[in-house]
């Protein structure tokens, strides 16, 4: 069974902090990578895709390291509203399902 | 509004009483899928469908059935529910599974169905 592994946390940080999450995947043939955000008992929502060249969306930066098979998410200047569970997601082979990590919980406090 | 609609949002039922959770999407997505989410286990895929009349098992299909007679609908059927099927269920859809050159495609999820089987 191919796996996607994440540190479950929780990560407890103050407002304004920078926090980084890492995720590893076991299948070197994996093709597409995503970070999803899930608020308590709600549906997961796509946060951003992850490209080999790295990509940034406001305070969020995602990186992919294919050689080491890990994905990272960096959140700068954390806000209270960033408190959620962040899911690392991998598509192993085109045309098949997305594989979800179990999630990393972030709690931002004032 | 583009969305995936699941019904019901909450359901409490008794062991053995057949039930159906409906899922409908209005985005003309080819791919639809059902997941269950349990504490400590994350999201696990139950069944998926690549297109009309094409369905396949995911990681945890036992005790579930699905059908895909129309592109927009993908109901989840529990013929004889048991307490171990108590869970939070999500339906999801996508234009296509991400492949090379389409890296920005992901899932759109429904709001979830919290099922309790007693």
């Amino acid at each position: 069974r191919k796996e996607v592994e994440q540190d479950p946390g929780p990560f407890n940080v103050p407002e304004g902090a920078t926090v980084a999450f890492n995720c590893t995947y076991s299948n070197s043939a994996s093709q597409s990578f995503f970070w999803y955000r899930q608020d308590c008992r709600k549906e997961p929502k796509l946060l951003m895709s992850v490209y080999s060249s790295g990509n940034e969306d406001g305070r969020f930066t995602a990186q992919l390291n294919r050689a080491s098979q890990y994905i990272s998410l960096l959140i700068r200047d954390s806000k209270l509203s960033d408190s959620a569970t962040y899911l690392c997601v991998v598509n192993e082979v085109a045309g098949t399902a997305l594989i979800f990590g179990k999630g990393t919980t972030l709690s931002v406090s004032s | 509004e583009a969305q995936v609609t699941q019904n019901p949002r909450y359901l409490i039922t008794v062991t053995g009483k057949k039930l159906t959770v409906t899922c409908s999407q209005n985005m003309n997505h080819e791919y639809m899928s059902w997941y269950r989410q349990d504490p400590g286990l994350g999201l696990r895929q139950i069944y998926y469908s690549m297109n009309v009349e094409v369905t396949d098992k995911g990681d945890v299909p036992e005790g579930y059935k699905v059908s895909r007679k129309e592109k927009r609908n993908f109901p989840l059927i529990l013929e004889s529910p048991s307490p171990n099927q108590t869970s939070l269920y999500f339906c999801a859809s996508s234009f296509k599974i991400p492949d090379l050159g389409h890296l920005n495609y992901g899932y759109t999820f429904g709001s979830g169905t919290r099922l309790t089987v007693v």
Side-chain angles (χ1 to χ4, degrees):
Chain A
R1 177 75 175 92
K2 302 298 188 287
E3 298 290 341
V4 176
E5 300 287 345
Q6 295 181 249
D7 182 342
F11 284 61
N12 298 306
V13 303
E15 274 187 294
T18 295
V19 61
F21 305 138
N22 289 328
C23 160
T24 59
Y25 59 95
S26 60
N27 187 351
S28 60
S30 298
Q31 295 187 353
S32 303
F33 310 88
F34 306 87
W35 283 102
Y36 277 71
R37 171 193 169 127
Q38 186 175 24
D39 294 293
C40 187
R41 298 179 183 275
K42 294 194 173 181
E43 73 273 23
K45 293 185 178 178
L46 180 63
L47 179 65
M48 58 198 306
S49 303
V50 187
Y51 306 126
S52 295
S53 55
N55 49 304
E56 187 174 311
D57 183 3
R59 297 182 292 108
F60 298 82
T61 300
Q63 295 277 355
L64 167 63
N65 185 318
R66 284 188 182 271
S68 301
Q69 294 179 211
Y70 81 78
I71 308 153
S72 65
L73 177 67
L74 182 75
I75 305 175
R76 292 180 298 277
D77 188 23
S78 298
K79 313 290 185 190
L80 294 174
S81 58
D82 293 333
S83 298
T85 296
Y86 291 84
L87 304 171
C88 175
V89 186
V90 172
N91 169 234
E92 296 186 335
V93 177
T96 62
L98 298 182
I99 309 299
F100 287 79
K102 294 178 182 177
T104 299
T105 299
L106 171 65
S107 177
V108 182
S109 57
S110 57
Chain B
E1 180 188 353
Q3 59 186 357
V4 177
T5 303
Q6 285 180 237
N7 279 297
R9 291 291 308 276
Y10 301 92
L11 179 60
I12 300 174
T13 190
V14 296
T15 299
K17 185 176 181 182
K18 181 180 178 179
L19 66 92
T20 299
V21 184
T22 63
C23 175
S24 180
Q25 50 92 6
N26 61 0
M27 296 166 282
N28 202 35
H29 285 171
E30 296 92 354
Y31 183 89
M32 297 185 75
S33 180
W34 276 101
Y35 285 84
R36 61 177 289 175
Q37 187 173 35
D38 303 287
L41 297 177
L43 282 156
R44 295 179 294 168
Q45 190 180 49
I46 302 170
Y47 268 95
Y48 65 95
S49 170
M50 299 293 285
N51 215 322
V52 176
E53 301 293 0
V54 180
T55 63
D56 210 345
K57 297 177 180 178
D59 296 320
V60 288
E62 293 77 21
Y64 304 95
K65 288 173 58 177
V66 293
S67 68
R68 188 87 183 274
K69 294 184 170 58
E70 309 162 278
K71 197 171 188 178
R72 64 183 293 127
N73 296 322
F74 190 46
L76 179 69
I77 303 157
L78 285 72
E79 294 272 3
S80 182
S82 62
N84 64 11
Q85 293 179 296
T86 292
S87 186
L88 177 58
Y89 291 85
F90 288 107
C91 180
S93 71
S94 172
F95 269 118
K96 63 176 69 177
I97 297 303
D99 58 14
L100 293 175
H102 297 87
L103 298 181
N104 60 334
Y105 285 15
Y107 284 176
T108 300
F109 280 88
S111 299
T113 296
R114 182 161 292 281
L115 172 66
T116 302
V117 184
V118 298

